[in-house]
Amino acid sequence: MTDEQNSFDTLEERLNARKTEYETMPVPDAATYQAVQSGIRQAARKRKSRLRWYMSSISAAALILLFTGCIRVSPAFASFVEQLPGMEGVVSMIRQDKGLMMAIDQSLLQKVGVTDEHDGASVTVEGIITDESRMVIFYTMKGMKDLEKGRYDIDLLDRNGKKLPVSFSYSSPKPASESGVYEDKIDVSFTESLPPQELTVVFKERDKETNNKWKVTFPVDHSLTKGMKKIIPVNQTMTVDGQRIYVKQAVLYPTRLVLDIEYDRNNTKKIFGIRDLQLVDEQGRAWRTDSSSIGGSGSSVFFESMYFSTPKKLILQGSGLSAVNKDELVISIDPSSGEIQGGPSSLKLLQSTVQGNNLILEFSIADAQNATSGLSFTNIEDSKGNPFEIKEVGWSPSVFEARVVIKNGAAAKGNLTMEIYSYPDQIRVPFSIEIPVIN
């Protein structure tokens, strides 16, 4: 056996050990998980173009538990791990993304290795992989206090110290390993701008008394993926449950595929999401999306990239929609009597209670089995025209019940009028269309 093979086998043993470690982590029940995810979606809506999804450690653990395939190590993959010592846990997570792993196999990883250290704690950005659409930032934290409490926020700044107009996700830190090291990644989407020439990542404590910050600044090399963007015209319309959905184009990058979808404005239903959306190639491989819903008039949907594995055939598949008739979107609630007017027939108000300054509304929704999204509202007003905002939402799929907390809702006068923003009712109508192959 060669020294190179020995190195690969050793690496596999390390990765499998990490996989076993993550498999033994406790994962909360589905109701808790769905409540967390519903809250994440609600917070994201408020942030709009600068929105952030603060995924909990619950979500991170769930993602890692999906890692059930056999680990095989390519030379480029082994080199990646060796460049980022101690990052095997993160490797287990990104192994779920076939496109990202192939990009790493193509040597598109940029090693950074920049550290900010003070007060006995340090943050290191180990490396990045980026193109025009996406950047994944790998980092480690050492000596941080109270990691399990998740009291850290992240900002991304340009060379002028301004926040980037991007969306990005990261996990709330979990307790560090025995070595005192926490490792993870930041997943950044560029929708309004291109990646900067220089990036500063700021990790900051939420504790107002200390307000400690760690700032890591490094250059971004754009040459590795320059000119690699591919635009694939689709221009097809599919009809699902009588609703027309227009698939405009696919844009292929090394790190992901972006599919542009638009809903016909003459549809009779408001579509909140497309269920179980995936691309399937001629080998039966499914190229997944992390977008559980596509709201509004349409959106860009992100899939794993098949840039370095050109398929001969691609089929876009889904199992149905989350949608509500447009004439049932607006409801009126009398918090004192519990009476509800308008809305879908499956929506029932269970109770309304006051907690401090907030109003808590609890609903039941019939026929919402296996729903991937919860219930939320927008354009909330009382009878005097006073506006209100959602503070928190939760969804318990096991009992088909939703909880909506309206900030300062205790001060509402008369009935509350609100418009449905997301709804867990699922229309199960399987569909598929062929997407042109990539040249």
Side-chain angles (χ1 to χ4, degrees), residues 54-196:
Y54 296 96
M55 295 175 63
S56 69
S57 56
I58 298 170
S59 178
L63 283 172
I64 295 166
L65 286 173
L66 292 174
F67 179 51
T68 56
C70 179
I71 302 170
R72 296 309 306 172
V73 181
S74 72
F77 184 47
S79 175
F80 160 71
V81 177
E82 294 306 322
Q83 287 184 67
L84 306 181
M87 295 286 285
E88 296 95 334
V90 174
V91 170
S92 296
M93 284 190 282
I94 63 175
R95 190 69 176 182
Q96 298 306 309
D97 190 322
K98 295 188 292 293
L100 194 60
M101 293 310 303
M102 285 190 288
I104 290 172
D105 280 347
Q106 295 294 320
S107 301
L108 296 184
L109 174 74
Q110 299 179 37
K111 186 175 181 180
V112 177
V114 178
T115 301
D116 184 17
E117 182 175 6
H118 58 81
D119 300 321
S122 67
V123 174
T124 302
V125 173
E126 305 285 0
I128 65 171
I129 182 169
T130 188
D131 53 32
E132 294 181 27
S133 178
R134 181 187 184 193
M135 177 187 292
V136 181
I137 305 168
F138 303 97
Y139 70 92
T140 55
M141 306 171 79
K142 298 180 181 180
M144 295 292 189
K145 298 178 181 179
D146 298 326
L147 272 178
E148 66 275 13
K149 296 180 181 178
R151 296 199 305 232
Y152 293 89
D153 289 323
I154 293 177
D155 286 333
L156 302 179
L157 311 178
D158 62 19
R159 63 174 55 191
N160 298 315
K162 295 182 178 180
K163 291 184 180 181
L164 294 176
V166 298
S167 61
F168 60 98
S169 64
Y170 58 92
S171 302
S172 295
K174 59 182 179 293
S177 63
E178 292 183 1
S179 64
V181 177
Y182 171 75
E183 54 199 32
D184 215 323
K185 61 183 174 66
I186 308 168
D187 205 330
V188 186
S189 291
F190 298 99
T191 56
E192 300 181 9
S193 64
L194 294 174

Side-chain angles (χ1 to χ4, degrees), residues 230-303:
K230 295 181 180 180
I231 299 177
I232 307 155
V234 180
N235 298 322
Q236 294 190 51
T237 300
M238 55 186 179
T239 301
V240 183
D241 191 44
Q243 311 306 301
R244 291 168 59 86
I245 302 172
Y246 178 47
V247 184
K248 296 189 292 184
Q249 66 177 17
V251 185
L252 184 61
Y253 301 91
T255 64
R256 68 183 177 189
L257 180 142
V258 182
L259 192 67
D260 289 334
I261 290 179
E262 184 177 299
Y263 303 135
D264 192 323
R265 64 180 59 188
N266 295 319
N267 284 342
T268 59
K269 297 179 184 290
K270 174 74 174 291
I271 300 174
F272 301 112
I274 302 178
R275 185 177 171 87
D276 300 326
L277 201 60
Q278 62 182 8
L279 288 166
V280 179
D281 65 18
E282 74 283 354
Q283 299 180 43
R285 292 180 299 180
W287 302 85
R288 300 173 299 110
T289 174
D290 58 5
S291 301
S292 59
S293 63
I294 312 163
S297 59
S299 186
S300 294
V301 191
F302 304 137
F303 293 86

Side-chain angles (χ1 to χ4, degrees), residues 363-380:
F363 299 88
S364 67
I365 301 170
D367 302 322
Q369 293 90 340
N370 302 315
T372 57
S373 60
L375 174 68
S376 188
F377 298 94
T378 188
N379 299 329
I380 304 172

Side-chain angles (χ1 to χ4, degrees), residues 102 227-230 252-255 305-310:
M102 285 190 288
M228 297 182 75
K229 172 182 175 181
K230 295 181 180 180
L252 184 61
Y253 301 91
T255 64
S305 174
M306 63 288 298
Y307 195 100
F308 299 105
S309 178
T310 306

